[in-house]
Amino acid sequence: AAYQLRRMGHGVTVFEAQPELGGMMRYGIPNYRVPRDKLAAENQRIVEMGVDVKYNTRVGKDVSVEDLEKDFDAIIWAVGCWTGRALPVDGWEGTPNCVTGVAYLKAFNEGRMKVTGKKLICVGGGDTSIDVVSVARRIGTNPAMSGNPEDVVHDDSMDQDESLVAGREPVDATLTSLFTKENMMAAEHEIHDAIHEGITILDGVMPLEVIKGDDGRATGLKVCDCTMDGMTPIPVEGTERVLEADIIVAAIGQGGDMIGLESFDNGRGLMDTTNNYQLKDKPNHFAIGDIVRPHLLTTAIGQAWVAAESVDEFLKGEEIKKRPKVDVHHFDLLEKMHEAGLDPEHFDPNAGDQRGTSSSNYAVHNYEDRSFAEIISSDELFLGHFEVTPRHKRSEDVPSADEVLGHFKERMQGLDEETAQKEADRCMSCGLCFECDNCVIYCPQDAVYRVPKAEATTGRYVATDYSRCIGCHICHDVCPTGYIQMGLGE
Ligand SMILES: Cc1cc2nc3c(=O)[nH]c(=O)nc-3n(C[C@H](O)[C@H](O)[C@H](O)COP(=O)(O)OP(=O)(O)OC[C@H]3O[C@@H](n4cnc5c(N)ncnc54)[C@H](O)[C@@H]3O)c2cc1C
């Protein structure tokens, strides 16, 4: 959002509770999935656009909402969901070695957690649970660890000794999921990779109770098989058993940390917004990302772009525009013509009936407003022009169960420059003109012609002489990209 708002020329200050930017990309998703040097470089690029960042500053604690309202014209809440949900079973609350996935991964991503318990159970089934068990398999355990494996998760100032790394041993990591593997939230290839790395996945299994020892710490998790009725698990009688554990992690969902932000809470630890990401009843407040609905990085980034436009309209005192169902960038030919100094002449609405003109300079002839059909379906393309080119897929470095301990190399290998360009070459330019000249060449009437260079701009390469056009559709048929649409020209 800061990036988009800076591009529009607004002054932006980011308040960041953590010492580094990046949110869950930095403190949740492990480094072998998001390389930290790339993330830091991207953040730096945005900061260098002139964004003021206040690090280690939690709004609601270090700065009040009232102060922000005094100092800023608009506020975007992009606070994410950092409070992991507790497992709703007996014995969970207050048990020290029962922790949330968010807290567990944060301790690892801050570099403080070097090793973990010998037997780890994670309850979940989504991306976070897969990350928890994959991290556990990578960091391993060490019998020489002093204290308990959960200590480093609870105590932000604790940093396990680096010497533990040398003597680490494999961990038994088990993931339990209410849903069967086919219906788990995590992506299929993530589940496949986890099994390859030696993780035990118990699917169709529900937790029943945390079993505790005399010292009050969990020694195991009682579970049973289950079937699902929608989102409700139905236990299968007679299948109860106890899985042993040194540490149990719940990765069953997250909510926002609303301390100091209570007035924005919709009652479920999230914030309610309009389609334009403006808070209902608080016009100078906006919210985006996980705090609206926990989802994906791309979702949060896309919402930030929409919210930035809403903020821009709000600050200019304009009405915030209704957004189309499919929210994509519109190519704006008028803007392009303005950039090229080709603005249409002034239109005088009182100058009589002017419909049907194909020459007056107040109108843009051959103007195509594509915004009504953002998606060009494949049947509008002339596929005969395109050779079948298979995708250039990224290769994966997924360690086997024997190799995973201490393996922190990036899992997906990025494409090299040459392959990335080849992959980009597969773009069929759906709905856009790539200046192939087919329409000019095949028009039997010579009605389609190239726009003279002095009047051309992006999106304005060919035009039609309507006095010659007989509406034969040949230009439309030979267009490879579905760019040309037939119409009556008014
Ligand atoms: C373990 C895990 C794995 C994931 N894996 C993937 C994945 O593979 N692919 C994918 O697309 N998505 C994944 N996601 C989801 C993705 O991380 C989120 O959708 C995305 O990060 C949401 O972005 P956000 O900006 O809304 O919130 P966040 O990324 O959570 O950022 C919120 C920011 O606000 C700061 N903050 C919070 N409260 C305050 C406050 N009061 N004052 C000041 N600052 C505050 C935080 O420090 C943080 O920097 C994963 C999430 C998790 C937890």
Side-chain angles (χ1 to χ4, degrees), residues 12 20 50 116 181 197 203 220 244 254 330 356 378 380 393 435 460 490:
V12 184
E20 284 183 46
T116 187
K181 288 192 191 85
E197 292 178 3
D203 57 345
E244 282 182 30
Q254 289 121 241
H330 299 306
S378 60
E380 286 187 49
K393 289 189 183 164
E435 306 180 3
R460 198 166 195 241
E490 273 210 358

Side-chain angles (χ1 to χ4, degrees), residues 48 58 69 84 93 185 226 280 287 321 408 423 425 442:
E48 281 171 8
R58 175 169 287 277
E69 282 180 327
E93 277 312 326
M185 297 291 273
C226 68
K280 293 173 181 157
K321 281 189 215 86
F408 295 102
E423 180 62 3
D425 270 350
Y442 286 100

Side-chain angles (χ1 to χ4, degrees), residues 15-18 20-30 33-34 54 57-61 77-82 101-102 105 127-129 131-132 190 254 257 259 261 288-301:
F15 290 87
E16 172 55 76
Q18 299 298 327
E20 284 183 46
L21 290 171
M24 279 299 176
M25 249 202 276
R26 167 71 184 78
Y27 293 95
I29 305 176
R33 298 185 52 202
V34 176
K54 311 273 186 224
T57 311
R58 175 169 287 277
V59 178
K61 180 174 157 248
W77 297 99
V79 289
C81 281
W82 285 52
V102 181
L105 290 169
D127 288 332
T128 305
S129 65
D131 285 343
V132 168
E190 297 274 351
Q254 289 121 241
D257 179 348
I259 296 173
L261 312 178
I288 50 171
D290 280 9
I291 194 63
V292 176
R293 182 172 75 101
H295 200 229
L296 296 172
L297 294 164
T298 44
T299 310
I301 293 165

Side-chain angles (χ1 to χ4, degrees), residues 292 389 484:
V292 176
T389 315
I484 296 178

Side-chain angles (χ1 to χ4, degrees), residues 114-362:
K114 314 284 191 317
V115 289
T116 187
K118 169 77 186 141
K119 289 192 166 102
L120 176 139
I121 297 173
C122 181
V123 180
D127 288 332
T128 305
S129 65
I130 296 270
D131 285 343
V132 168
V133 283
S134 322
V135 161
R137 288 287 293 163
R138 279 168 171 75
I139 58 178
T141 188
N142 190 328
M145 173 174 51
S146 61
N148 292 315
E150 67 274 15
D151 297 346
V152 69
V153 179
H154 294 304
D155 182 355
D156 277 359
S157 63
M158 185 176 168
D159 195 354
Q160 286 179 337
D161 202 292
E162 191 64 38
S163 64
L164 291 170
V165 169
R168 60 185 163 198
E169 297 172 3
V171 163
D172 296 334
T174 303
L175 192 164
T176 74
S177 159
L178 296 178
F179 290 96
T180 57
K181 288 192 191 85
E182 302 73 53
N183 296 322
M184 270 167 67
M185 297 291 273
E188 197 185 329
H189 75 270
E190 297 274 351
I191 298 167
H192 182 266
D193 291 354
I195 295 170
H196 186 72
E197 292 178 3
I199 288 147
T200 306
I201 297 186
L202 301 177
D203 57 345
V205 162
M206 69 185 282
L208 296 172
E209 183 189 348
V210 173
I211 307 296
K212 297 201 253 188
D214 295 338
D215 58 359
R217 296 183 69 246
T219 56
L221 183 68
K222 188 174 184 186
V223 297
C224 71
D225 292 344
C226 68
T227 53
M228 292 302 285
D229 177 12
M231 295 301 282
T232 311
I234 313 291
V236 177
E237 261 181 58
T239 60
E240 294 83 4
R241 60 224 187 247
V242 175
L243 309 173
E244 282 182 30
D246 301 317
I247 181 160
I248 305 175
V249 186
I252 55 167
Q254 289 121 241
D257 179 348
M258 294 297 199
I259 296 173
L261 312 178
E262 291 81 2
S263 66
F264 301 96
D265 193 341
N266 68 0
R268 289 174 288 117
L270 301 174
M271 296 186 187
D272 286 336
T273 69
T274 65
N275 289 345
N276 297 73
Y277 301 104
Q278 190 172 33
L279 289 197
K280 293 173 181 157
D281 309 328
K282 289 191 166 71
N284 54 337
H285 290 260
F286 300 77
I288 50 171
D290 280 9
I291 194 63
V292 176
R293 182 172 75 101
H295 200 229
L296 296 172
L297 294 164
T298 44
T299 310
I301 293 165
Q303 290 177 356
W305 162 58
V306 175
E309 288 195 352
S310 303
V311 169
D312 184 56
E313 285 162 350
F314 169 76
L315 293 177
K316 287 179 184 158
E318 293 170 4
E319 196 187 335
I320 298 183
K321 281 189 215 86
K322 202 165 169 273
R323 316 256 353 162
K325 199 165 173 205
V326 181
D327 212 329
V328 294
H329 269 292
H330 299 306
F331 172 77
D332 188 338
L333 182 59
L334 276 180
E335 202 177 288
K336 275 283 153 206
M337 293 184 67
H338 177 70
E339 276 172 23
L342 296 168
D343 288 305
E345 284 169 9
H346 176 70
F347 172 68
D348 178 5
N350 303 318
D353 187 355
Q354 301 166 82
R355 284 175 298 170
T357 177
S358 65
S359 55
S360 308
N361 286 341
Y362 59 75

